[in-house]
Amino acid sequence: MWGIVPAAGRGTRLQPLAFSKELLPLGSRIDDGIERPCAVSEYLLERMILGGADKICIVISPDKSDILGYFGDSYGSAHIVYAVQPRPCGLCDAVFRAHPLMTDSEPVIVGLPDTIWFPDTALAALPDDVLSFLLFPVERPELFDAVVLDGAGRVLEVEVKRPNPSSHWIWGAFKIPGRVFPALRRLWIARGRADEYFGTLINAYLADGGTALGVRAGAAYVDVGTLNGYRAAMALLAEQSNIGAPAKVVQAMGWPAGRRAKTLAGTAGVSPALAGGSSDAGETPALPLGRAGRRE
């Protein structure tokens, strides 16, 4: 199963940052007995792997090579590849950049790398054979894409950042059957690639006779793309720690391949210390600080 991580956004709500917002440190992980900072996007990759993904495509912009440098070619048991979105043209454009890699036989999970949500195994509740949305209850659904369901759990409409939405359940991730992925892309192209948000494309898909399900398996959801969201994410991790759920310091699924000292030294021809790792096995390599100057 594929996972698609759209990470080409500019992160304007968190500026100024000297690195990609997807690498924002949030909590920590234990790798081989060593505690290290955890990038916010690692939470999504972990959840995708728990949901069955063994291949992940991260979509980046040309100036976000620090993400490639951090994750390298794998994370835990999942292989990682990259696609490039040359310009910020919305979520649909980012997701469909991965189209050449997809097959009709494998479902695709899509999630947002600057979010934290629980339970971490919730993606396993989504079926493989129908387009389905993982839903979370939130206090301010007007800031997100609220999903309206009928009594059987079928999606009637996605209310895209609508004032006073009729549902307080929003989508936090979704799964697309392999045969549906190219159909959605064809519809997006037929609509002049004008859909910036996935919700408007889904509404057109439903109006065209398509079917989607909403699964209310989510319990807590935080958008980490603002300072208030970052504080809320830290509070959520602390709360989950108090009730025994995976939290700030847990065993990692794997060291991000791009941060392995041996890998960096071997590919760059420099010492592990200069490559961003450490000559001391007990010392934790830091998250990348990025370029000098502010990312626009």
Side-chain angles (χ1 to χ4, degrees), residues 117-150:
W117 46 263
F118 289 93
D120 56 3
T121 57
L123 284 170
L126 300 183
D128 290 344
D129 58 349
V130 62
L131 174 62
S132 53
F133 291 85
L134 177 59
L135 305 184
F136 297 83
V138 297
E139 293 182 357
R140 300 194 61 189
E142 70 274 11
L143 301 177
F144 305 94
D145 288 0
V147 181
V148 182
L149 306 179
D150 67 11

mmCIF file of all heavy atoms in Angstrom, residues 117-150:
data_model
loop_
_atom_site.group_PDB
_atom_site.id
_atom_site.type_symbol
_atom_site.label_atom_id
_atom_site.label_comp_id
_atom_site.label_asym_id
_atom_site.label_seq_id
_atom_site.Cartn_x
_atom_site.Cartn_y
_atom_site.Cartn_z
ATOM 1 N N TRP A 117 -2.723 13.326 15.475
ATOM 2 C CA TRP A 117 -4.046 12.789 15.805
ATOM 3 C C TRP A 117 -3.938 11.417 16.458
ATOM 4 O O TRP A 117 -2.940 10.728 16.335
ATOM 5 C CB TRP A 117 -4.963 12.757 14.586
ATOM 6 C CG TRP A 117 -4.397 12.227 13.303
ATOM 7 C CD1 TRP A 117 -3.878 12.956 12.269
ATOM 8 C CD2 TRP A 117 -4.324 10.849 12.875
ATOM 9 N NE1 TRP A 117 -3.485 12.137 11.235
ATOM 10 C CE2 TRP A 117 -3.753 10.834 11.585
ATOM 11 C CE3 TRP A 117 -4.693 9.634 13.461
ATOM 12 C CZ2 TRP A 117 -3.542 9.646 10.884
ATOM 13 C CZ3 TRP A 117 -4.476 8.452 12.762
ATOM 14 C CH2 TRP A 117 -3.906 8.479 11.490
ATOM 15 N N PHE A 118 -5.005 11.084 17.157
ATOM 16 C CA PHE A 118 -5.126 9.810 17.861
ATOM 17 C C PHE A 118 -6.529 9.254 17.635
ATOM 18 O O PHE A 118 -7.456 10.019 17.395
ATOM 19 C CB PHE A 118 -4.874 10.009 19.373
ATOM 20 C CG PHE A 118 -3.442 10.295 19.718
ATOM 21 C CD1 PHE A 118 -2.997 11.602 19.821
ATOM 22 C CD2 PHE A 118 -2.543 9.260 19.918
ATOM 23 C CE1 PHE A 118 -1.676 11.877 20.134
ATOM 24 C CE2 PHE A 118 -1.228 9.524 20.236
ATOM 25 C CZ PHE A 118 -0.787 10.827 20.343
ATOM 26 N N PRO A 119 -6.658 7.905 17.690
ATOM 27 C CA PRO A 119 -5.613 6.910 17.963
ATOM 28 C C PRO A 119 -4.681 6.721 16.766
ATOM 29 O O PRO A 119 -5.073 6.962 15.629
ATOM 30 C CB PRO A 119 -6.411 5.642 18.246
ATOM 31 C CG PRO A 119 -7.696 5.818 17.507
ATOM 32 C CD PRO A 119 -8.005 7.284 17.573
ATOM 33 N N ASP A 120 -3.458 6.287 17.058
ATOM 34 C CA ASP A 120 -2.473 6.183 15.993
ATOM 35 C C ASP A 120 -2.742 5.012 15.043
ATOM 36 O O ASP A 120 -2.160 4.937 13.965
ATOM 37 C CB ASP A 120 -1.051 6.093 16.566
ATOM 38 C CG ASP A 120 -0.880 4.942 17.537
ATOM 39 O OD1 ASP A 120 -1.835 4.163 17.748
ATOM 40 O OD2 ASP A 120 0.221 4.817 18.110
ATOM 41 N N THR A 121 -3.637 4.105 15.423
ATOM 42 C CA THR A 121 -3.976 2.957 14.576
ATOM 43 C C THR A 121 -5.265 3.171 13.785
ATOM 44 O O THR A 121 -5.784 2.239 13.161
ATOM 45 C CB THR A 121 -4.131 1.687 15.437
ATOM 46 O OG1 THR A 121 -5.135 1.924 16.438
ATOM 47 C CG2 THR A 121 -2.813 1.331 16.109
ATOM 48 N N ALA A 122 -5.794 4.386 13.785
ATOM 49 C CA ALA A 122 -7.128 4.630 13.232
ATOM 50 C C ALA A 122 -7.228 4.344 11.739
ATOM 51 O O ALA A 122 -8.307 3.993 11.236
ATOM 52 C CB ALA A 122 -7.550 6.071 13.513
ATOM 53 N N LEU A 123 -6.129 4.473 10.987
ATOM 54 C CA LEU A 123 -6.200 4.234 9.547
ATOM 55 C C LEU A 123 -6.593 2.803 9.216
ATOM 56 O O LEU A 123 -7.129 2.538 8.133
ATOM 57 C CB LEU A 123 -4.856 4.567 8.887
ATOM 58 C CG LEU A 123 -4.556 6.057 8.701
ATOM 59 C CD1 LEU A 123 -3.108 6.259 8.275
ATOM 60 C CD2 LEU A 123 -5.515 6.665 7.669
ATOM 61 N N ALA A 124 -6.347 1.880 10.139
ATOM 62 C CA ALA A 124 -6.705 0.484 9.895
ATOM 63 C C ALA A 124 -8.219 0.305 9.808
ATOM 64 O O ALA A 124 -8.697 -0.725 9.304
ATOM 65 C CB ALA A 124 -6.145 -0.397 11.004
ATOM 66 N N ALA A 125 -8.990 1.293 10.256
ATOM 67 C CA ALA A 125 -10.450 1.199 10.208
ATOM 68 C C ALA A 125 -11.008 1.521 8.825
ATOM 69 O O ALA A 125 -12.202 1.277 8.571
ATOM 70 C CB ALA A 125 -11.069 2.135 11.243
ATOM 71 N N LEU A 126 -10.186 2.061 7.924
ATOM 72 C CA LEU A 126 -10.672 2.431 6.593
ATOM 73 C C LEU A 126 -10.641 1.226 5.662
ATOM 74 O O LEU A 126 -9.634 0.509 5.587
ATOM 75 C CB LEU A 126 -9.809 3.557 6.013
ATOM 76 C CG LEU A 126 -9.749 4.867 6.810
ATOM 77 C CD1 LEU A 126 -8.921 5.905 6.057
ATOM 78 C CD2 LEU A 126 -11.143 5.397 7.108
ATOM 79 N N PRO A 127 -11.709 0.984 4.911
ATOM 80 C CA PRO A 127 -11.733 -0.143 3.969
ATOM 81 C C PRO A 127 -10.830 0.114 2.763
ATOM 82 O O PRO A 127 -10.526 1.264 2.433
ATOM 83 C CB PRO A 127 -13.205 -0.222 3.549
ATOM 84 C CG PRO A 127 -13.718 1.179 3.729
ATOM 85 C CD PRO A 127 -12.976 1.744 4.911
ATOM 86 N N ASP A 128 -10.423 -0.969 2.102
ATOM 87 C CA ASP A 128 -9.543 -0.857 0.944
ATOM 88 C C ASP A 128 -10.307 -0.659 -0.360
ATOM 89 O O ASP A 128 -9.732 -0.183 -1.346
ATOM 90 C CB ASP A 128 -8.677 -2.115 0.798
ATOM 91 C CG ASP A 128 -7.620 -2.235 1.883
ATOM 92 O OD1 ASP A 128 -7.344 -1.228 2.562
ATOM 93 O OD2 ASP A 128 -7.071 -3.347 2.044
ATOM 94 N N ASP A 129 -11.588 -1.025 -0.396
ATOM 95 C CA ASP A 129 -12.306 -1.123 -1.665
ATOM 96 C C ASP A 129 -13.246 0.036 -1.959
ATOM 97 O O ASP A 129 -13.980 0.009 -2.938
ATOM 98 C CB ASP A 129 -13.090 -2.442 -1.712
ATOM 99 C CG ASP A 129 -14.083 -2.566 -0.549
ATOM 100 O OD1 ASP A 129 -14.016 -1.743 0.381
ATOM 101 O OD2 ASP A 129 -14.910 -3.495 -0.593
ATOM 102 N N VAL A 130 -13.252 1.067 -1.119
ATOM 103 C CA VAL A 130 -14.096 2.227 -1.373
ATOM 104 C C VAL A 130 -13.390 3.468 -0.841
ATOM 105 O O VAL A 130 -12.685 3.412 0.169
ATOM 106 C CB VAL A 130 -15.492 2.051 -0.711
ATOM 107 C CG1 VAL A 130 -15.354 1.926 0.797
ATOM 108 C CG2 VAL A 130 -16.422 3.198 -1.082
ATOM 109 N N LEU A 131 -13.557 4.578 -1.535
ATOM 110 C CA LEU A 131 -13.000 5.846 -1.068
ATOM 111 C C LEU A 131 -13.556 6.144 0.324
ATOM 112 O O LEU A 131 -14.765 6.139 0.532
ATOM 113 C CB LEU A 131 -13.380 6.963 -2.039
ATOM 114 C CG LEU A 131 -13.018 8.404 -1.651
ATOM 115 C CD1 LEU A 131 -11.508 8.569 -1.527
ATOM 116 C CD2 LEU A 131 -13.588 9.379 -2.680
ATOM 117 N N SER A 132 -12.660 6.387 1.278
ATOM 118 C CA SER A 132 -13.127 6.549 2.664
ATOM 119 C C SER A 132 -12.308 7.604 3.385
ATOM 120 O O SER A 132 -11.110 7.776 3.125
ATOM 121 C CB SER A 132 -13.047 5.218 3.418
ATOM 122 O OG SER A 132 -11.756 4.649 3.329
ATOM 123 N N PHE A 133 -12.972 8.281 4.312
ATOM 124 C CA PHE A 133 -12.366 9.385 5.056
ATOM 125 C C PHE A 133 -12.320 9.042 6.542
ATOM 126 O O PHE A 133 -13.315 8.587 7.109
ATOM 127 C CB PHE A 133 -13.167 10.671 4.844
ATOM 128 C CG PHE A 133 -13.061 11.214 3.452
ATOM 129 C CD1 PHE A 133 -13.899 10.735 2.454
ATOM 130 C CD2 PHE A 133 -12.133 12.181 3.136
ATOM 131 C CE1 PHE A 133 -13.806 11.216 1.163
ATOM 132 C CE2 PHE A 133 -12.019 12.669 1.838
ATOM 133 C CZ PHE A 133 -12.864 12.183 0.849
ATOM 134 N N LEU A 134 -11.162 9.267 7.149
ATOM 135 C CA LEU A 134 -11.000 9.101 8.588
ATOM 136 C C LEU A 134 -11.429 10.403 9.247
ATOM 137 O O LEU A 134 -10.834 11.458 9.000
ATOM 138 C CB LEU A 134 -9.549 8.777 8.921
ATOM 139 C CG LEU A 134 -9.188 8.634 10.400
ATOM 140 C CD1 LEU A 134 -10.014 7.530 11.058
ATOM 141 C CD2 LEU A 134 -7.691 8.350 10.555
ATOM 142 N N LEU A 135 -12.468 10.344 10.074
ATOM 143 C CA LEU A 135 -13.090 11.547 10.621
ATOM 144 C C LEU A 135 -12.749 11.754 12.088
ATOM 145 O O LEU A 135 -12.623 10.801 12.861
ATOM 146 C CB LEU A 135 -14.604 11.464 10.459
ATOM 147 C CG LEU A 135 -15.130 11.229 9.041
ATOM 148 C CD1 LEU A 135 -16.652 11.274 9.027
ATOM 149 C CD2 LEU A 135 -14.546 12.230 8.054
ATOM 150 N N PHE A 136 -12.630 13.036 12.461
ATOM 151 C CA PHE A 136 -12.316 13.448 13.823
ATOM 152 C C PHE A 136 -13.288 14.535 14.262
ATOM 153 O O PHE A 136 -13.608 15.434 13.480
ATOM 154 C CB PHE A 136 -10.887 14.000 13.905
ATOM 155 C CG PHE A 136 -9.821 13.013 13.573
ATOM 156 C CD1 PHE A 136 -9.471 12.755 12.250
ATOM 157 C CD2 PHE A 136 -9.150 12.326 14.583
ATOM 158 C CE1 PHE A 136 -8.488 11.843 11.941
ATOM 159 C CE2 PHE A 136 -8.164 11.410 14.276
ATOM 160 C CZ PHE A 136 -7.831 11.161 12.951
ATOM 161 N N PRO A 137 -13.721 14.511 15.519
ATOM 162 C CA PRO A 137 -14.571 15.595 16.033
ATOM 163 C C PRO A 137 -13.699 16.774 16.473
ATOM 164 O O PRO A 137 -12.686 16.588 17.153
ATOM 165 C CB PRO A 137 -15.271 14.954 17.227
ATOM 166 C CG PRO A 137 -14.284 13.924 17.734
ATOM 167 C CD PRO A 137 -13.534 13.428 16.519
ATOM 168 N N VAL A 138 -14.069 17.985 16.080
ATOM 169 C CA VAL A 138 -13.316 19.177 16.478
ATOM 170 C C VAL A 138 -14.283 20.261 16.937
ATOM 171 O O VAL A 138 -15.474 20.246 16.599
ATOM 172 C CB VAL A 138 -12.437 19.720 15.324
ATOM 173 C CG1 VAL A 138 -11.383 18.708 14.921
ATOM 174 C CG2 VAL A 138 -13.291 20.116 14.128
ATOM 175 N N GLU A 139 -13.759 21.208 17.690
ATOM 176 C CA GLU A 139 -14.595 22.284 18.217
ATOM 177 C C GLU A 139 -14.870 23.372 17.179
ATOM 178 O O GLU A 139 -15.904 24.037 17.233
ATOM 179 C CB GLU A 139 -13.928 22.902 19.448
ATOM 180 C CG GLU A 139 -13.861 21.966 20.650
ATOM 181 C CD GLU A 139 -13.240 22.634 21.854
ATOM 182 O OE1 GLU A 139 -12.812 23.812 21.720
ATOM 183 O OE2 GLU A 139 -13.177 22.001 22.927
ATOM 184 N N ARG A 140 -13.938 23.555 16.232
ATOM 185 C CA ARG A 140 -14.117 24.604 15.230
ATOM 186 C C ARG A 140 -14.019 24.010 13.821
ATOM 187 O O ARG A 140 -13.030 24.212 13.105
ATOM 188 C CB ARG A 140 -13.085 25.718 15.429
ATOM 189 C CG ARG A 140 -13.166 26.411 16.791
ATOM 190 C CD ARG A 140 -12.361 27.701 16.791
ATOM 191 N NE ARG A 140 -12.875 28.644 15.806
ATOM 192 C CZ ARG A 140 -12.255 29.780 15.467
ATOM 193 N NH1 ARG A 140 -11.107 30.103 16.052
ATOM 194 N NH2 ARG A 140 -12.764 30.589 14.553
ATOM 195 N N PRO A 141 -15.033 23.296 13.385
ATOM 196 C CA PRO A 141 -14.982 22.636 12.075
ATOM 197 C C PRO A 141 -14.907 23.613 10.905
ATOM 198 O O PRO A 141 -14.508 23.224 9.805
ATOM 199 C CB PRO A 141 -16.281 21.824 12.041
ATOM 200 C CG PRO A 141 -17.195 22.524 13.001
ATOM 201 C CD PRO A 141 -16.307 23.041 14.091
ATOM 202 N N GLU A 142 -15.281 24.873 11.132
ATOM 203 C CA GLU A 142 -15.227 25.850 10.041
ATOM 204 C C GLU A 142 -13.805 26.119 9.562
ATOM 205 O O GLU A 142 -13.604 26.660 8.465
ATOM 206 C CB GLU A 142 -15.892 27.164 10.468
ATOM 207 C CG GLU A 142 -15.134 27.978 11.510
ATOM 208 C CD GLU A 142 -15.420 27.564 12.946
ATOM 209 O OE1 GLU A 142 -16.060 26.499 13.146
ATOM 210 O OE2 GLU A 142 -15.011 28.295 13.871
ATOM 211 N N LEU A 143 -12.815 25.742 10.356
ATOM 212 C CA LEU A 143 -11.418 25.925 9.965
ATOM 213 C C LEU A 143 -10.903 24.777 9.104
ATOM 214 O O LEU A 143 -9.797 24.847 8.577
ATOM 215 C CB LEU A 143 -10.540 26.058 11.213
ATOM 216 C CG LEU A 143 -10.866 27.214 12.159
ATOM 217 C CD1 LEU A 143 -9.956 27.172 13.380
ATOM 218 C CD2 LEU A 143 -10.750 28.543 11.432
ATOM 219 N N PHE A 144 -11.713 23.726 8.958
ATOM 220 C CA PHE A 144 -11.281 22.525 8.255
ATOM 221 C C PHE A 144 -12.295 22.158 7.177
ATOM 222 O O PHE A 144 -13.101 22.999 6.788
ATOM 223 C CB PHE A 144 -11.133 21.374 9.264
ATOM 224 C CG PHE A 144 -10.217 21.677 10.410
ATOM 225 C CD1 PHE A 144 -10.717 22.175 11.610
ATOM 226 C CD2 PHE A 144 -8.845 21.483 10.289
ATOM 227 C CE1 PHE A 144 -9.871 22.451 12.678
ATOM 228 C CE2 PHE A 144 -7.991 21.760 11.342
ATOM 229 C CZ PHE A 144 -8.501 22.246 12.539
ATOM 230 N N ASP A 145 -12.247 20.920 6.729
ATOM 231 C CA ASP A 145 -13.228 20.399 5.784
ATOM 232 C C ASP A 145 -14.158 19.460 6.548
ATOM 233 O O ASP A 145 -13.789 18.320 6.872
ATOM 234 C CB ASP A 145 -12.550 19.646 4.644
ATOM 235 C CG ASP A 145 -11.828 20.572 3.677
ATOM 236 O OD1 ASP A 145 -11.854 21.799 3.899
ATOM 237 O OD2 ASP A 145 -11.228 20.073 2.716
ATOM 238 N N ALA A 146 -15.351 19.942 6.867
ATOM 239 C CA ALA A 146 -16.330 19.137 7.587
ATOM 240 C C ALA A 146 -16.995 18.159 6.623
ATOM 241 O O ALA A 146 -17.236 18.478 5.455
ATOM 242 C CB ALA A 146 -17.371 20.035 8.243
ATOM 243 N N VAL A 147 -17.292 16.963 7.120
ATOM 244 C CA VAL A 147 -17.856 15.907 6.284
ATOM 245 C C VAL A 147 -19.249 15.557 6.794
ATOM 246 O O VAL A 147 -19.424 15.208 7.969
ATOM 247 C CB VAL A 147 -16.958 14.658 6.296
ATOM 248 C CG1 VAL A 147 -17.548 13.561 5.408
ATOM 249 C CG2 VAL A 147 -15.546 15.021 5.815
ATOM 250 N N VAL A 148 -20.227 15.638 5.895
ATOM 251 C CA VAL A 148 -21.621 15.339 6.220
ATOM 252 C C VAL A 148 -21.934 13.924 5.752
ATOM 253 O O VAL A 148 -21.692 13.580 4.585
ATOM 254 C CB VAL A 148 -22.572 16.342 5.554
ATOM 255 C CG1 VAL A 148 -24.019 16.047 5.934
ATOM 256 C CG2 VAL A 148 -22.194 17.775 5.934
ATOM 257 N N LEU A 149 -22.491 13.102 6.657
ATOM 258 C CA LEU A 149 -22.796 11.708 6.348
ATOM 259 C C LEU A 149 -24.306 11.466 6.400
ATOM 260 O O LEU A 149 -25.045 12.189 7.078
ATOM 261 C CB LEU A 149 -22.117 10.771 7.347
ATOM 262 C CG LEU A 149 -20.605 10.902 7.554
ATOM 263 C CD1 LEU A 149 -20.148 9.893 8.610
ATOM 264 C CD2 LEU A 149 -19.857 10.709 6.255
ATOM 265 N N ASP A 150 -24.738 10.407 5.700
ATOM 266 C CA ASP A 150 -26.105 9.942 5.894
ATOM 267 C C ASP A 150 -26.124 8.890 6.999
ATOM 268 O O ASP A 150 -25.090 8.615 7.638
ATOM 269 C CB ASP A 150 -26.697 9.404 4.585
ATOM 270 C CG ASP A 150 -26.018 8.122 4.089
ATOM 271 O OD1 ASP A 150 -25.220 7.518 4.848
ATOM 272 O OD2 ASP A 150 -26.295 7.717 2.950
#
